Amino acid sequence: MKSCLVFLFCLLTLSVSAQSSIDVDKEFAFAAKQYERMLQTHPDTTKFPQSTNPDGSIRNMKSDWWCSGFFGGSLWYIYERTKAPAWKDAAHKWTMAVAKEQYNTGTHDLGFMLYCPFGNGYRLTKNQAYKPIMLTGAKSLATRFDPKVGVIKSWNKFQTYNYPVIIDNMMNLEFLFWAANESGNKELRNVAITHADNTLKNHFRPDYSSYHVICYNPDGTVAAKKTHQGYADESAWARGQAWGMYGYTVMYRETKDKKYLEQARHIADFFLNHPNLPADKIPYWDFNAPNIPNEERDASAGAIAASALLELATYGGPSAKTYYQSAVKMLESLASPAYKANLGENNNFILKHSVGHKPGKSEIDTPLIYADYYFLEGLLRYDALRKKAAFKS
Ligand code: GLY
């Protein structure tokens, strides 16, 4: 009788511990309350919530900053979950606030800036006014592609180099696929594929970690391999690894070319098997930061990786369950008090403890709007998957 009770107890503990502690409804109820406050403190749609200043005050940015689309995008995710018209109105307002960036040919970040708000808005509402704005924006982005070099230029200058490309740029390709599909302009699709192929060739090390910045010569050869936001040229900047993992997962979704799926899996394996990845699976800001464990975590990298892993898990393979379970662990960690703010604190951002640019002494251990965005996206992806038989514990 006693051993029977012990067995039953063990069984109960196992099944409970196998279940996730994430309550998606609760998380979105909190996000909605926190962002209601954010909306109240942001009456001016030219000032986009970005982070916290060193003195603790809110850090806002203008629409030409690469993060301007994440607030509107996050509001769309809250609308997607709550279906409340007030969120749709707020999301629309903050989406249209970025519209003028459709003509901006000075940045490679138009995917982040335009596709996160307008793409989600169009997906959820089919508002036809959004479409021409996105199509113009995608064409503006493609002007930064030089066929002789074979990649989209990220910045106009970096140190002494005139054609720098950062791994982050993989995130802007989804926008080009959308525009190619909508408009029939195959050139936009070719630009995305050529960029991804050359990035695959030049941006990665044999262990599948990536450099942050590759500087190209006019003939497409590599002039230098560098970092900007990471610890060192040869280190693995955590958010860069997450951008690459997400980017190649999208490449597989859009093309069904297995080489992209393999690349995404290799990056995921590098990330998840790294000896410096902490038990809660939220990475330090750089996998090779010199003072680990006394280094800041980057919640944004955890949120981006969680969302990417949840999509990657849907493509099967021997590690699908590991990817799913790792993503769930990341979301659980982010949803815990270790990373999630209390209501009304943290300048009304949802997550604490991200790192924007440590070598630049900017946004160190602060909230970041894109950490919130990918956390909400990850929660929605998790909620869609957890009901599927393949992912039930
Ligand atoms: N795209 C810039 C960053 O990830 O910080």
Side-chain angles (χ1 to χ4, degrees):
M1 177 65 178
K2 197 174 163 200
S3 62
C4 192
L5 277 177
V6 171
F7 174 73
L8 273 175
F9 177 76
C10 288
L11 204 66
L12 195 67
T13 316
L14 262 181
S15 61
V16 170
S17 66
Q19 275 175 12
S20 147
S21 63
I22 305 166
D23 179 338
V24 177
D25 283 329
K26 196 177 111 216
E27 295 309 325
F28 271 88
F30 172 78
K33 281 205 198 112
Q34 191 79 333
Y35 271 28
E36 267 167 24
R37 288 163 186 256
M38 186 73 96
L39 286 168
Q40 277 162 17
T41 53
H42 286 77
D44 177 352
T45 54
T46 64
K47 291 180 179 158
F48 294 78
Q50 158 73 15
S51 184
T52 290
N53 289 311
D55 66 2
S57 60
I58 181 89
R59 181 173 201 226
N60 296 318
M61 299 302 261
K62 293 195 288 195
S63 69
D64 62 357
W65 180 238
W66 74 275
C67 300
S68 59
F70 292 119
F71 188 46
S74 298
L75 297 172
W76 283 120
Y77 285 143
I78 297 175
Y79 170 63
E80 182 168 5
R81 185 71 188 184
T82 62
K83 302 280 186 292
W87 288 108
K88 184 175 165 184
D89 295 345
H92 173 74
K93 189 170 102 176
W94 281 92
T95 294
M96 292 309 289
V98 196
K100 70 174 160 65
E101 301 307 325
Q102 67 186 293
Y103 305 109
N104 186 344
T105 55
T107 175
H108 71 131
D109 279 323
L110 293 178
F112 286 127
M113 294 155 76
L114 295 171
Y115 195 58
C116 293
F118 284 101
N120 279 309
Y122 188 70
R123 178 175 64 81
L124 293 169
T125 67
K126 292 286 171 282
N127 184 337
Q128 292 304 308
Y130 297 167
K131 213 167 131 177
I133 296 169
M134 283 195 282
L135 291 175
T136 301
K139 277 199 222 145
S140 296
L141 171 58
T143 63
R144 299 186 64 81
F145 178 80
D146 178 343
K148 290 191 289 306
V149 189
V151 274
I152 299 165
K153 186 195 273 201
S154 293
W155 306 319
N156 292 341
K157 189 94 183 162
F158 175 64
Q159 298 173 356
T160 57
Y161 303 99
N162 294 323
Y163 209 111
V165 176
I166 60 175
I167 187 67
D168 325 26
N169 207 346
M170 285 301 301
M171 297 296 286
N172 293 307
L173 305 183
E174 185 177 6
F175 185 31
L176 296 179
F177 282 108
W178 176 87
N181 292 339
E182 281 292 327
S183 66
N185 180 349
K186 289 203 180 67
E187 198 38 43
L188 296 175
R189 183 182 167 88
N190 292 341
V191 165
I193 290 173
T194 308
H195 180 93
D197 286 348
N198 284 319
T199 298
L200 199 154
K201 190 167 87 190
N202 296 319
H203 240 99
F204 290 87
R205 306 185 183 96
D207 65 0
Y208 298 100
S209 67
S210 55
Y211 290 90
H212 184 202
V213 191
I214 299 293
C215 305
Y216 285 89
N217 293 311
D219 64 356
T221 55
V222 172
K225 301 185 176 195
K226 298 278 184 182
T227 197
H228 180 55
Q229 281 157 271
Y231 164 60
D233 290 346
E234 287 301 326
S235 73
W237 174 52
R239 195 161 56 253
Q241 313 314 303
W243 291 144
M245 189 197 309
Y246 195 120
Y248 281 99
T249 303
V250 170
M251 284 306 298
Y252 177 67
R253 184 211 303 158
E254 296 296 337
T255 64
K256 293 290 169 256
D257 185 331
K258 282 269 172 22
K259 76 170 179 257
Y260 299 133
L261 179 59
E262 289 310 311
Q263 188 71 6
R265 286 175 175 162
H266 285 310
I267 302 167
D269 295 343
F270 171 85
F271 196 106
L272 296 176
N273 297 329
H274 199 287
N276 286 342
L277 184 68
D280 69 0
K281 300 202 189 292
I282 306 303
Y284 296 99
W285 67 279
D286 189 305
F287 280 99
N288 307 106
N291 300 313
I292 288 173
N294 300 314
E295 294 278 359
E296 294 81 10
R297 304 295 190 88
D298 182 10
S300 78
I304 297 157
S307 189
L309 288 166
L310 286 169
E311 178 170 355
L312 192 54
T314 65
Y315 300 134
S319 300
K321 200 145 188 172
T322 302
Y323 297 155
Y324 175 78
Q325 286 169 343
S326 301
V328 172
K329 179 70 198 170
M330 289 169 179
L331 292 178
E332 278 176 348
S333 301
L334 294 174
S336 77
Y339 294 93
K340 200 174 67 188
N342 291 319
L343 187 64
E345 293 179 0
N346 202 34
N347 280 314
N348 303 317
F349 291 97
I350 300 165
L351 295 181
K352 306 179 279 185
H353 303 317
S354 289
V355 174
H357 186 180
K358 186 158 179 181
K361 299 189 174 39
S362 170
E363 300 173 338
I364 303 168
D365 195 19
T366 60
L368 284 170
I369 186 67
Y370 45 96
D372 287 7
Y373 174 86
Y374 288 102
F375 177 58
L376 296 175
E377 181 181 90
L379 288 169
L380 290 174
R381 289 182 172 189
Y382 162 71
D383 197 45
L385 286 192
R386 75 191 168 94
K387 295 162 192 155
K388 294 207 158 98
F391 298 105
K392 279 199 177 136
S393 303

